[in-house]
Amino acid sequence: MKPQVIPLVLAALLAGCASTNSADMESMREMAQQALDRAQAAESMAQQASQKADAASQDAAAAMEAARDAQACCQANTRRINRAFEQSMQK
């Protein structure tokens, strides 16, 4: 449930229960506050997870670039070694 919707739902629940006694109302308020607190904690955890995922994605991109650079270096070395071998065989 989106965070903006939670206060509206809680207000509707509280408004619909206006005929109950004050102890019940206080209990419902506490439950509503706990639900709101949990929703806010979940949203915070989701934001942290998103930030960690973004960082992991950046790390993966950097690793991929390093792997491409290493592959290019290996291919260049292979060409050099092959040329040197061919030249030594022609002598």
Side-chain angles (χ1 to χ4, degrees), residues 14-15 17-30:
L14 294 175
C17 301
S19 63
T20 60
N21 65 37
S22 63
D24 288 341
M25 287 295 288
E26 186 58 33
S27 175
M28 284 187 250
R29 280 190 187 109
E30 288 176 17

Side-chain angles (χ1 to χ4, degrees), residues 3-15:
Q4 304 91 322
V5 176
I6 293 171
L8 296 174
V9 171
L10 296 176
L13 287 172
L14 294 175

Side-chain angles (χ1 to χ4, degrees), residues 44-86:
S44 175
M45 289 172 45
Q47 288 174 346
Q48 290 174 0
S50 178
Q51 291 170 349
K52 288 179 181 180
D54 289 344
S57 178
Q58 291 173 354
D59 290 346
M64 182 61 99
E65 185 175 346
R68 285 186 186 127
D69 290 346
Q71 182 66 34
C73 178
C74 288
Q75 289 172 341
N77 285 339
T78 299
R79 286 190 297 271
R80 274 189 235 123
I81 290 169
N82 286 342
R83 274 195 309 271
F85 178 74
E86 289 172 4

